């Protein structure tokens, strides 16, 4: 059954945003009870404990390659697996889950910006236009529908922390370009989760020393298991599978489902309202993403049509040759 589902990436596609939306809602619901550094540390401990029994042979077999690529592994662990959740959890202390999810919708447009800054891949003009429009939507959400509010925002605002978190995950996405290709994806994922554990351990110890411990309560254990298994391990495994089979453009578009899931879950479970500026902001973000992505699909159509025309032309030519040969022999 699992193998059957695994072979159908379209079934997997809507699940990672759902698991990540659950993570945001849990982080918002228990923002005061669950310490951010401890929650981040233990979520990757749980993910590593579940994953290692299945990939430890690959880790041993590819240990030299992994050690040679330690800067990439460390960078991915720091930006995507450590920095992204911690900054989100800190931002959720003052930011509603629905707003945080909508700000997370800028991820597919932050990636080309960082790819240009780091890898020198200049985005096309339409991508730049989409990025600008998307960030107008971000500004509308952060300013709560009043542009004058942006001037009064403090640098430590929850929304800005969430945007920094998204920037961290975008950096992780760019760093994946330098992932060792001969290492199995799940083994690389395990190495990155272990790196995140090592990076978060000092912050967790300092948080424990300050008197903030992860409570040993049923709700805390259930939240940790859900985040560690589904939001951390299963979501990333499904996401990577969809990227490999469906491509990054289509998979990246599904990331916007997290805003829909989070808004619905926050409304149903936390009673958080969805206001007009939320809808306007997410509309601008989605429009910007469409402008950035759809031309790529449109530009691929002439090539596909030309290939089809070429195939048809070849087939007609062969049929004509055969008919002439038969008529000549008759």
């Amino acid at each position: 059954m699992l193998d059957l589902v695994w072979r159908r990436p379209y079934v997997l596609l809507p699940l990672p945003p759902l698991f990540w939306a659950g993570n945001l809602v849990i982080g918002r619901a228990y923002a005061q009870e669950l310490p951010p550094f401890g929650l981040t540390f233990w979520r990757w401990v749980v993910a590593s404990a579940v994953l290692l029994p299945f990939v430890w042979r690959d880790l041993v077999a590819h240990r030299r390659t992994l050690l040679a690529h330690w800067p990439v592994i460390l960078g991915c662990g720091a930006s995507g697996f450590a920095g992204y959740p911690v900054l989100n959890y800190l931002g959720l202390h003052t930011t509603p889950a629905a707003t945080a999810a909508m700000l997370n919708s800028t991820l597919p447009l932050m990636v080309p910006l960082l790819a240009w800054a780091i890898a020198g891949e200049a985005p096309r003009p339409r991508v730049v236009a989409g990025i600008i429009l998307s960030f107008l939507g971000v500004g509308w959400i952060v300013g709560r529908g009043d542009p004058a509010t942006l001037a009064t925002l403090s640098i430590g605002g929850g929304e800005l922390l969430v945007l920094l978190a998204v920037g961290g995950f975008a950096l992780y996405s760019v760093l994946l370009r330098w992932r060792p290709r001969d290492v199995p994806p799940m083994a690389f994922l395990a190495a990155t989760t272990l790196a995140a554990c090592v990076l978060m351990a000092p912050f967790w110890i300092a948080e424990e020393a300050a008197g903030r411990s992860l409570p040993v309560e049923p709700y805390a254990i259930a939240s940790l298991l859900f985040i560690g298994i589904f939001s951390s391990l299963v979501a990333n495994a499904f996401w990577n599978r969809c990227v490999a089979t469906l491509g990054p453009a289509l998979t990246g578009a599904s990331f916007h489902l997290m805003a829909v899931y989070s808004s619905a879950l926050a409304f149903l479970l936390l009673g958080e309202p969805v206001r007009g500026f939320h809808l306007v902001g997410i509309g601008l973000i989605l429009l910007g993403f469409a402008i950035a992505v759809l031309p790529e699909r449109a530009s691929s159509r002439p090539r596909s049509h030309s290939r089809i025309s070429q195939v048809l032309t070849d087939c007609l030519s062969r049929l004509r040759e055969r008919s002439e040969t038969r008529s000549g022999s008759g």
Side-chain angles (χ1 to χ4, degrees):
M1 180 65 180
L2 291 177
D3 184 65
L4 184 64
V5 174
W6 186 257
R7 294 180 181 179
R8 288 168 170 76
Y10 282 101
V11 178
L12 304 178
L13 190 61
L15 296 179
L18 177 61
F19 297 147
W20 288 329
N23 172 56
L24 287 180
V25 172
I26 290 173
R28 174 61 175 172
Y30 301 115
Q32 304 302 323
E33 292 85 359
L34 302 178
F37 295 104
L39 181 57
T40 303
F41 171 73
W42 285 108
R43 70 179 282 178
W44 294 118
V45 169
V46 170
S48 300
V50 174
L51 185 58
L52 281 176
F54 301 98
V55 300
W56 70 270
R57 294 181 185 274
D58 289 330
L59 288 175
V60 173
H62 297 276
R63 62 186 182 278
R64 292 183 179 178
T65 303
L66 291 170
L67 289 174
H69 289 79
W70 71 264
V72 176
I73 296 173
L74 198 63
C76 289
S79 58
F81 286 10
Y84 174 70
V86 161
L87 291 172
N88 260 318
Y89 293 146
L90 290 172
L92 285 168
H93 279 78
T94 57
T95 304
T99 299
M102 292 174 188
L103 295 178
N104 270 267
S105 293
T106 60
L107 174 68
L109 296 168
M110 280 195 182
V111 173
L113 280 180
L114 288 178
W116 171 59
I118 297 174
E121 299 179 6
R124 296 178 299 104
R126 289 185 181 273
V127 175
V128 174
I131 291 172
I132 293 174
L133 188 59
S134 177
F135 278 105
L136 287 176
V138 171
W140 195 259
I141 294 174
V142 173
R144 294 174 173 81
D146 183 8
T149 305
L150 293 173
T152 64
L153 287 176
S154 63
I155 193 66
E159 293 90 347
L160 297 182
L161 289 176
V162 173
L163 284 176
L164 287 175
V166 179
F169 202 83
L171 176 60
Y172 160 77
S173 302
V174 175
L175 291 177
L176 285 176
R177 297 166 184 260
W178 292 279
R179 179 180 68 82
R181 299 302 175 186
D182 56 335
V183 175
M186 297 305 289
F188 180 81
L189 178 61
T192 310
T193 62
L194 291 173
C197 292
V198 172
L199 290 169
M200 290 306 305
F203 298 96
W204 165 62
I205 294 173
E207 195 174 56
E208 288 278 338
R212 291 209 66 189
S213 301
L214 199 69
V216 185
E217 299 287 345
Y219 78 88
I221 296 174
S223 299
L224 179 60
L225 290 176
F226 174 84
I227 293 173
I229 296 175
F230 292 97
S231 302
S232 301
L233 182 58
V234 177
N236 280 286
F238 285 1
W239 182 266
N240 294 343
R241 171 65 176 169
C242 291
V243 169
T245 53
L246 302 177
L250 178 57
T251 306
S254 72
F255 197 84
H256 297 291
L257 290 174
M258 189 167 68
V260 179
Y261 291 143
S262 297
S263 300
L265 291 174
F267 176 76
L268 294 174
L269 302 178
L270 306 181
E272 292 183 356
V274 178
R275 305 189 185 280
F277 66 82
H278 286 130
L279 301 178
V280 173
I282 194 62
L284 290 173
I285 292 171
L286 292 174
L287 181 59
F289 179 75
I291 291 175
V293 173
L294 289 180
E296 296 181 0
R297 297 177 181 176
S299 64
S300 65
R301 288 177 183 174
R303 289 196 294 270
S304 61
H305 286 318
S306 64
R307 291 176 183 174
I308 294 173
S309 300
Q310 184 64 39
V311 171
L312 292 175
T313 302
D314 292 342
C315 291
L316 291 174
S317 299
R318 292 177 182 177
L319 290 173
R320 189 181 299 110
E321 291 174 0
R322 290 181 180 180
S323 63
E324 290 175 356
T325 301
R326 290 178 180 176
S327 61
S329 61

PDB file of all heavy atoms in Angstrom, residues 50-75:
ATOM      1  N   VAL A  50      14.007   7.909  14.291  1.00  0.00           N
ATOM      2  CA  VAL A  50      13.130   7.128  13.410  1.00  0.00           C
ATOM      3  C   VAL A  50      13.843   6.767  12.112  1.00  0.00           C
ATOM      4  O   VAL A  50      13.679   5.651  11.586  1.00  0.00           O
ATOM      5  CB  VAL A  50      11.840   7.918  13.117  1.00  0.00           C
ATOM      6  CG1 VAL A  50      10.986   7.194  12.078  1.00  0.00           C
ATOM      7  CG2 VAL A  50      11.042   8.127  14.393  1.00  0.00           C
ATOM      8  N   LEU A  51      14.668   7.668  11.590  1.00  0.00           N
ATOM      9  CA  LEU A  51      15.273   7.480  10.276  1.00  0.00           C
ATOM     10  C   LEU A  51      16.533   6.618  10.304  1.00  0.00           C
ATOM     11  O   LEU A  51      16.772   5.826   9.379  1.00  0.00           O
ATOM     12  CB  LEU A  51      15.596   8.851   9.682  1.00  0.00           C
ATOM     13  CG  LEU A  51      16.147   8.889   8.248  1.00  0.00           C
ATOM     14  CD1 LEU A  51      15.178   8.232   7.275  1.00  0.00           C
ATOM     15  CD2 LEU A  51      16.417  10.327   7.833  1.00  0.00           C
ATOM     16  N   LEU A  52      17.354   6.752  11.338  1.00  0.00           N
ATOM     17  CA  LEU A  52      18.666   6.101  11.353  1.00  0.00           C
ATOM     18  C   LEU A  52      18.626   4.581  11.173  1.00  0.00           C
ATOM     19  O   LEU A  52      19.483   4.035  10.470  1.00  0.00           O
ATOM     20  CB  LEU A  52      19.409   6.459  12.639  1.00  0.00           C
ATOM     21  CG  LEU A  52      20.063   7.849  12.661  1.00  0.00           C
ATOM     22  CD1 LEU A  52      20.688   8.131  14.013  1.00  0.00           C
ATOM     23  CD2 LEU A  52      21.106   7.951  11.556  1.00  0.00           C
ATOM     24  N   PRO A  53      17.695   3.851  11.795  1.00  0.00           N
ATOM     25  CA  PRO A  53      17.699   2.399  11.588  1.00  0.00           C
ATOM     26  C   PRO A  53      17.573   1.976  10.126  1.00  0.00           C
ATOM     27  O   PRO A  53      18.003   0.875   9.762  1.00  0.00           O
ATOM     28  CB  PRO A  53      16.486   1.922  12.399  1.00  0.00           C
ATOM     29  CG  PRO A  53      16.306   2.969  13.444  1.00  0.00           C
ATOM     30  CD  PRO A  53      16.676   4.260  12.773  1.00  0.00           C
ATOM     31  N   PHE A  54      17.015   2.838   9.277  1.00  0.00           N
ATOM     32  CA  PHE A  54      16.808   2.486   7.877  1.00  0.00           C
ATOM     33  C   PHE A  54      17.960   2.930   6.969  1.00  0.00           C
ATOM     34  O   PHE A  54      18.087   2.411   5.850  1.00  0.00           O
ATOM     35  CB  PHE A  54      15.501   3.117   7.371  1.00  0.00           C
ATOM     36  CG  PHE A  54      14.288   2.684   8.134  1.00  0.00           C
ATOM     37  CD1 PHE A  54      13.774   3.481   9.150  1.00  0.00           C
ATOM     38  CD2 PHE A  54      13.649   1.491   7.850  1.00  0.00           C
ATOM     39  CE1 PHE A  54      12.646   3.095   9.867  1.00  0.00           C
ATOM     40  CE2 PHE A  54      12.527   1.094   8.549  1.00  0.00           C
ATOM     41  CZ  PHE A  54      12.025   1.892   9.571  1.00  0.00           C
ATOM     42  N   VAL A  55      18.783   3.875   7.419  1.00  0.00           N
ATOM     43  CA  VAL A  55      19.794   4.441   6.515  1.00  0.00           C
ATOM     44  C   VAL A  55      21.208   4.364   7.072  1.00  0.00           C
ATOM     45  O   VAL A  55      22.132   4.862   6.417  1.00  0.00           O
ATOM     46  CB  VAL A  55      19.460   5.921   6.192  1.00  0.00           C
ATOM     47  CG1 VAL A  55      18.101   6.043   5.532  1.00  0.00           C
ATOM     48  CG2 VAL A  55      19.520   6.779   7.445  1.00  0.00           C
ATOM     49  N   TRP A  56      21.409   3.742   8.240  1.00  0.00           N
ATOM     50  CA  TRP A  56      22.745   3.786   8.830  1.00  0.00           C
ATOM     51  C   TRP A  56      23.775   3.082   7.954  1.00  0.00           C
ATOM     52  O   TRP A  56      24.953   3.483   7.911  1.00  0.00           O
ATOM     53  CB  TRP A  56      22.724   3.191  10.237  1.00  0.00           C
ATOM     54  CG  TRP A  56      22.506   1.707  10.317  1.00  0.00           C
ATOM     55  CD1 TRP A  56      21.319   1.062  10.414  1.00  0.00           C
ATOM     56  CD2 TRP A  56      23.511   0.687  10.307  1.00  0.00           C
ATOM     57  NE1 TRP A  56      21.492  -0.296  10.455  1.00  0.00           N
ATOM     58  CE2 TRP A  56      22.837  -0.558  10.404  1.00  0.00           C
ATOM     59  CE3 TRP A  56      24.905   0.689  10.235  1.00  0.00           C
ATOM     60  CZ2 TRP A  56      23.515  -1.775  10.418  1.00  0.00           C
ATOM     61  CZ3 TRP A  56      25.583  -0.521  10.247  1.00  0.00           C
ATOM     62  CH2 TRP A  56      24.900  -1.732  10.341  1.00  0.00           C
ATOM     63  N   ARG A  57      23.366   2.040   7.221  1.00  0.00           N
ATOM     64  CA  ARG A  57      24.305   1.368   6.316  1.00  0.00           C
ATOM     65  C   ARG A  57      24.774   2.313   5.215  1.00  0.00           C
ATOM     66  O   ARG A  57      25.956   2.323   4.834  1.00  0.00           O
ATOM     67  CB  ARG A  57      23.654   0.123   5.716  1.00  0.00           C
ATOM     68  CG  ARG A  57      23.346  -0.979   6.726  1.00  0.00           C
ATOM     69  CD  ARG A  57      22.726  -2.189   6.021  1.00  0.00           C
ATOM     70  NE  ARG A  57      22.309  -3.199   6.979  1.00  0.00           N
ATOM     71  CZ  ARG A  57      23.103  -4.152   7.469  1.00  0.00           C
ATOM     72  NH1 ARG A  57      24.368  -4.204   7.081  1.00  0.00           N
ATOM     73  NH2 ARG A  57      22.638  -5.035   8.340  1.00  0.00           N
ATOM     74  N   ASP A  58      23.833   3.117   4.678  1.00  0.00           N
ATOM     75  CA  ASP A  58      24.218   4.086   3.643  1.00  0.00           C
ATOM     76  C   ASP A  58      25.123   5.172   4.218  1.00  0.00           C
ATOM     77  O   ASP A  58      26.044   5.648   3.540  1.00  0.00           O
ATOM     78  CB  ASP A  58      22.967   4.719   3.028  1.00  0.00           C
ATOM     79  CG  ASP A  58      22.198   3.742   2.152  1.00  0.00           C
ATOM     80  OD1 ASP A  58      22.843   2.849   1.574  1.00  0.00           O
ATOM     81  OD2 ASP A  58      20.969   3.872   2.056  1.00  0.00           O
ATOM     82  N   LEU A  59      24.850   5.572   5.458  1.00  0.00           N
ATOM     83  CA  LEU A  59      25.706   6.577   6.088  1.00  0.00           C
ATOM     84  C   LEU A  59      27.134   6.068   6.239  1.00  0.00           C
ATOM     85  O   LEU A  59      28.102   6.797   5.980  1.00  0.00           O
ATOM     86  CB  LEU A  59      25.138   6.969   7.460  1.00  0.00           C
ATOM     87  CG  LEU A  59      23.873   7.825   7.457  1.00  0.00           C
ATOM     88  CD1 LEU A  59      23.382   8.019   8.891  1.00  0.00           C
ATOM     89  CD2 LEU A  59      24.147   9.183   6.824  1.00  0.00           C
ATOM     90  N   VAL A  60      27.271   4.819   6.640  1.00  0.00           N
ATOM     91  CA  VAL A  60      28.604   4.231   6.791  1.00  0.00           C
ATOM     92  C   VAL A  60      29.275   4.074   5.431  1.00  0.00           C
ATOM     93  O   VAL A  60      30.464   4.385   5.259  1.00  0.00           O
ATOM     94  CB  VAL A  60      28.516   2.873   7.517  1.00  0.00           C
ATOM     95  CG1 VAL A  60      29.875   2.188   7.528  1.00  0.00           C
ATOM     96  CG2 VAL A  60      28.011   3.072   8.947  1.00  0.00           C
ATOM     97  N   ALA A  61      28.517   3.616   4.448  1.00  0.00           N
ATOM     98  CA  ALA A  61      29.093   3.378   3.124  1.00  0.00           C
ATOM     99  C   ALA A  61      29.555   4.667   2.456  1.00  0.00           C
ATOM    100  O   ALA A  61      30.542   4.674   1.709  1.00  0.00           O
ATOM    101  CB  ALA A  61      28.082   2.656   2.246  1.00  0.00           C
ATOM    102  N   HIS A  62      28.854   5.772   2.719  1.00  0.00           N
ATOM    103  CA  HIS A  62      29.168   7.058   2.071  1.00  0.00           C
ATOM    104  C   HIS A  62      29.778   8.056   3.048  1.00  0.00           C
ATOM    105  O   HIS A  62      29.720   9.266   2.789  1.00  0.00           O
ATOM    106  CB  HIS A  62      27.896   7.641   1.444  1.00  0.00           C
ATOM    107  CG  HIS A  62      27.302   6.808   0.360  1.00  0.00           C
ATOM    108  ND1 HIS A  62      27.720   6.855  -0.953  1.00  0.00           N
ATOM    109  CD2 HIS A  62      26.311   5.877   0.401  1.00  0.00           C
ATOM    110  CE1 HIS A  62      27.010   6.013  -1.680  1.00  0.00           C
ATOM    111  NE2 HIS A  62      26.146   5.403  -0.886  1.00  0.00           N
ATOM    112  N   ARG A  63      30.362   7.569   4.121  1.00  0.00           N
ATOM    113  CA  ARG A  63      30.859   8.472   5.162  1.00  0.00           C
ATOM    114  C   ARG A  63      31.939   9.421   4.633  1.00  0.00           C
ATOM    115  O   ARG A  63      31.979  10.608   5.028  1.00  0.00           O
ATOM    116  CB  ARG A  63      31.378   7.675   6.351  1.00  0.00           C
ATOM    117  CG  ARG A  63      32.560   6.768   6.046  1.00  0.00           C
ATOM    118  CD  ARG A  63      32.882   5.912   7.268  1.00  0.00           C
ATOM    119  NE  ARG A  63      34.052   5.053   7.056  1.00  0.00           N
ATOM    120  CZ  ARG A  63      34.014   3.895   6.425  1.00  0.00           C
ATOM    121  NH1 ARG A  63      32.855   3.456   5.927  1.00  0.00           N
ATOM    122  NH2 ARG A  63      35.110   3.170   6.278  1.00  0.00           N
ATOM    123  N   ARG A  64      32.807   8.946   3.755  1.00  0.00           N
ATOM    124  CA  ARG A  64      33.872   9.811   3.254  1.00  0.00           C
ATOM    125  C   ARG A  64      33.314  10.928   2.382  1.00  0.00           C
ATOM    126  O   ARG A  64      33.763  12.077   2.469  1.00  0.00           O
ATOM    127  CB  ARG A  64      34.882   8.974   2.453  1.00  0.00           C
ATOM    128  CG  ARG A  64      35.677   7.998   3.325  1.00  0.00           C
ATOM    129  CD  ARG A  64      36.709   7.248   2.502  1.00  0.00           C
ATOM    130  NE  ARG A  64      37.477   6.341   3.350  1.00  0.00           N
ATOM    131  CZ  ARG A  64      38.435   5.521   2.902  1.00  0.00           C
ATOM    132  NH1 ARG A  64      38.730   5.507   1.599  1.00  0.00           N
ATOM    133  NH2 ARG A  64      39.078   4.732   3.746  1.00  0.00           N
ATOM    134  N   THR A  65      32.341  10.593   1.553  1.00  0.00           N
ATOM    135  CA  THR A  65      31.716  11.629   0.725  1.00  0.00           C
ATOM    136  C   THR A  65      30.979  12.643   1.585  1.00  0.00           C
ATOM    137  O   THR A  65      31.047  13.856   1.338  1.00  0.00           O
ATOM    138  CB  THR A  65      30.743  10.983  -0.273  1.00  0.00           C
ATOM    139  OG1 THR A  65      31.442  10.021  -1.058  1.00  0.00           O
ATOM    140  CG2 THR A  65      30.135  12.027  -1.186  1.00  0.00           C
ATOM    141  N   LEU A  66      30.289  12.151   2.608  1.00  0.00           N
ATOM    142  CA  LEU A  66      29.565  13.059   3.506  1.00  0.00           C
ATOM    143  C   LEU A  66      30.529  13.967   4.261  1.00  0.00           C
ATOM    144  O   LEU A  66      30.263  15.166   4.413  1.00  0.00           O
ATOM    145  CB  LEU A  66      28.705  12.245   4.477  1.00  0.00           C
ATOM    146  CG  LEU A  66      27.504  11.515   3.852  1.00  0.00           C
ATOM    147  CD1 LEU A  66      26.881  10.557   4.859  1.00  0.00           C
ATOM    148  CD2 LEU A  66      26.464  12.524   3.372  1.00  0.00           C
ATOM    149  N   LEU A  67      31.628  13.411   4.732  1.00  0.00           N
ATOM    150  CA  LEU A  67      32.622  14.234   5.441  1.00  0.00           C
ATOM    151  C   LEU A  67      33.241  15.266   4.514  1.00  0.00           C
ATOM    152  O   LEU A  67      33.536  16.391   4.931  1.00  0.00           O
ATOM    153  CB  LEU A  67      33.700  13.338   6.052  1.00  0.00           C
ATOM    154  CG  LEU A  67      33.277  12.494   7.252  1.00  0.00           C
ATOM    155  CD1 LEU A  67      34.391  11.539   7.672  1.00  0.00           C
ATOM    156  CD2 LEU A  67      32.886  13.392   8.421  1.00  0.00           C
ATOM    157  N   ALA A  68      33.439  14.899   3.251  1.00  0.00           N
ATOM    158  CA  ALA A  68      34.006  15.847   2.299  1.00  0.00           C
ATOM    159  C   ALA A  68      33.047  16.999   2.000  1.00  0.00           C
ATOM    160  O   ALA A  68      33.479  18.086   1.605  1.00  0.00           O
ATOM    161  CB  ALA A  68      34.374  15.120   1.000  1.00  0.00           C
ATOM    162  N   HIS A  69      31.749  16.752   2.193  1.00  0.00           N
ATOM    163  CA  HIS A  69      30.729  17.777   1.940  1.00  0.00           C
ATOM    164  C   HIS A  69      30.169  18.347   3.243  1.00  0.00           C
ATOM    165  O   HIS A  69      29.032  18.826   3.275  1.00  0.00           O
ATOM    166  CB  HIS A  69      29.592  17.196   1.102  1.00  0.00           C
ATOM    167  CG  HIS A  69      29.965  16.917  -0.319  1.00  0.00           C
ATOM    168  ND1 HIS A  69      30.687  15.802  -0.700  1.00  0.00           N
ATOM    169  CD2 HIS A  69      29.734  17.614  -1.472  1.00  0.00           C
ATOM    170  CE1 HIS A  69      30.860  15.804  -2.008  1.00  0.00           C
ATOM    171  NE2 HIS A  69      30.298  16.886  -2.503  1.00  0.00           N
ATOM    172  N   TRP A  70      30.969  18.327   4.310  1.00  0.00           N
ATOM    173  CA  TRP A  70      30.451  18.797   5.606  1.00  0.00           C
ATOM    174  C   TRP A  70      30.004  20.255   5.583  1.00  0.00           C
ATOM    175  O   TRP A  70      29.036  20.595   6.293  1.00  0.00           O
ATOM    176  CB  TRP A  70      31.491  18.560   6.703  1.00  0.00           C
ATOM    177  CG  TRP A  70      32.712  19.451   6.633  1.00  0.00           C
ATOM    178  CD1 TRP A  70      33.902  19.165   6.061  1.00  0.00           C
ATOM    179  CD2 TRP A  70      32.840  20.773   7.179  1.00  0.00           C
ATOM    180  NE1 TRP A  70      34.774  20.211   6.189  1.00  0.00           N
ATOM    181  CE2 TRP A  70      34.146  21.213   6.874  1.00  0.00           C
ATOM    182  CE3 TRP A  70      31.985  21.621   7.885  1.00  0.00           C
ATOM    183  CZ2 TRP A  70      34.612  22.475   7.254  1.00  0.00           C
ATOM    184  CZ3 TRP A  70      32.453  22.875   8.255  1.00  0.00           C
ATOM    185  CH2 TRP A  70      33.747  23.292   7.955  1.00  0.00           C
ATOM    186  N   PRO A  71      30.631  21.174   4.799  1.00  0.00           N
ATOM    187  CA  PRO A  71      30.095  22.546   4.801  1.00  0.00           C
ATOM    188  C   PRO A  71      28.659  22.628   4.281  1.00  0.00           C
ATOM    189  O   PRO A  71      27.845  23.397   4.802  1.00  0.00           O
ATOM    190  CB  PRO A  71      31.070  23.301   3.883  1.00  0.00           C
ATOM    191  CG  PRO A  71      32.331  22.511   3.898  1.00  0.00           C
ATOM    192  CD  PRO A  71      31.872  21.086   3.991  1.00  0.00           C
ATOM    193  N   VAL A  72      28.340  21.812   3.255  1.00  0.00           N
ATOM    194  CA  VAL A  72      26.975  21.821   2.706  1.00  0.00           C
ATOM    195  C   VAL A  72      26.002  21.259   3.740  1.00  0.00           C
ATOM    196  O   VAL A  72      24.916  21.818   3.962  1.00  0.00           O
ATOM    197  CB  VAL A  72      26.919  21.016   1.402  1.00  0.00           C
ATOM    198  CG1 VAL A  72      25.483  20.949   0.877  1.00  0.00           C
ATOM    199  CG2 VAL A  72      27.838  21.620   0.361  1.00  0.00           C
ATOM    200  N   ILE A  73      26.394  20.144   4.372  1.00  0.00           N
ATOM    201  CA  ILE A  73      25.525  19.518   5.376  1.00  0.00           C
ATOM    202  C   ILE A  73      25.306  20.466   6.549  1.00  0.00           C
ATOM    203  O   ILE A  73      24.174  20.639   7.031  1.00  0.00           O
ATOM    204  CB  ILE A  73      26.134  18.189   5.844  1.00  0.00           C
ATOM    205  CG1 ILE A  73      26.186  17.197   4.680  1.00  0.00           C
ATOM    206  CG2 ILE A  73      25.331  17.605   7.000  1.00  0.00           C
ATOM    207  CD1 ILE A  73      26.926  15.920   5.002  1.00  0.00           C
ATOM    208  N   LEU A  74      26.373  21.101   7.003  1.00  0.00           N
ATOM    209  CA  LEU A  74      26.260  22.026   8.133  1.00  0.00           C
ATOM    210  C   LEU A  74      25.414  23.244   7.763  1.00  0.00           C
ATOM    211  O   LEU A  74      24.587  23.713   8.544  1.00  0.00           O
ATOM    212  CB  LEU A  74      27.656  22.460   8.578  1.00  0.00           C
ATOM    213  CG  LEU A  74      27.771  23.064   9.983  1.00  0.00           C
ATOM    214  CD1 LEU A  74      27.391  22.041  11.036  1.00  0.00           C
ATOM    215  CD2 LEU A  74      29.186  23.573  10.227  1.00  0.00           C
ATOM    216  N   GLY A  75      25.617  23.754   6.546  1.00  0.00           N
ATOM    217  CA  GLY A  75      24.830  24.906   6.103  1.00  0.00           C
ATOM    218  C   GLY A  75      23.357  24.570   5.975  1.00  0.00           C
ATOM    219  O   GLY A  75      22.489  25.366   6.372  1.00  0.00           O
TER     220      GLY A  75
END
